[in-house]
Amino acid sequence: GLDLVSGEIVCSDLTKDDVGDPTALPDLLDQVDGPVDLFLADGAYDGDPTSDLLTARFGPMIEVTTPPPKNAILSPNVARKPTARDCHIADIAINGRMAWQKATGYNQRSRGETLMGRWKAVIGPKLKARNF
């Protein structure tokens, strides 16, 4: 996890290939000391479990920006109480994915990917150990 303003790595974890990103998220969030107001992540984090966890940890004002899949459907309560995800789905349907990325700031995620790419260049293409 990165602070996009400072470039500081605020949380990290080394997992085996069989551990998915959302599964590792609670342990990563335990490492974060300060407040979080924006969570940008890839589509692997899309869904209620991630949103609920982030809201529980950082409060209802946290902005969760993850791209919904192309076949995403609106929630059953969209007419009465649309979720942020519902708004993302509708915005993508109306304006397209690229416009949604620009409007939500999701394109900033590429800065995070660049920062991680730099770190991986420092540690090399593989970590080697006798056991996990």
Side-chain angles (χ1 to χ4, degrees), residues 37-55:
D37 55 332
L38 173 63
F39 179 83
L40 289 172
D42 63 27
Y45 292 93
D46 177 57
D48 290 338
T50 296
S51 295
D52 293 346
L53 176 63
L54 291 165
T55 300

Side-chain angles (χ1 to χ4, degrees), residues 7-129:
E8 178 184 7
I9 297 172
V10 295
C11 60
S12 64
D13 196 6
L14 179 63
T15 60
K16 295 180 181 180
D17 289 339
D18 63 344
V19 176
D21 292 346
T23 304
L25 186 58
D27 291 337
L28 288 169
L29 295 179
D30 287 343
Q31 299 174 35
V32 178
D33 292 332
V36 175
D37 55 332
L38 173 63
F39 179 83
L40 289 172
D42 63 27
Y45 292 93
D46 177 57
D48 290 338
T50 296
S51 295
D52 293 346
L53 176 63
L54 291 165
T55 300
R57 297 272 179 122
F58 302 111
M61 297 307 291
I62 187 167
E63 183 180 343
V64 178
T65 305
T66 57
K70 292 179 182 179
N71 62 349
I73 57 172
L74 299 171
S75 68
N77 297 325
V78 69
R80 290 185 309 240
K81 189 176 179 186
T83 64
R85 183 176 187 268
D86 290 329
C87 295
H88 292 312
I89 293 168
D91 191 36
I92 290 169
I94 294 167
N95 300 311
R97 194 166 288 269
M98 295 305 288
W100 170 81
Q101 287 181 7
K102 187 173 182 181
T104 61
Y106 184 74
N107 53 1
Q108 293 181 61
R109 190 175 152 272
S110 64
R111 290 177 43 217
E113 294 291 342
T114 300
L115 290 171
M116 287 309 302
R118 289 179 184 156
W119 176 243
K120 288 177 180 180
V122 170
I123 63 173
K126 290 186 177 182
L127 291 175
K128 296 182 180 183

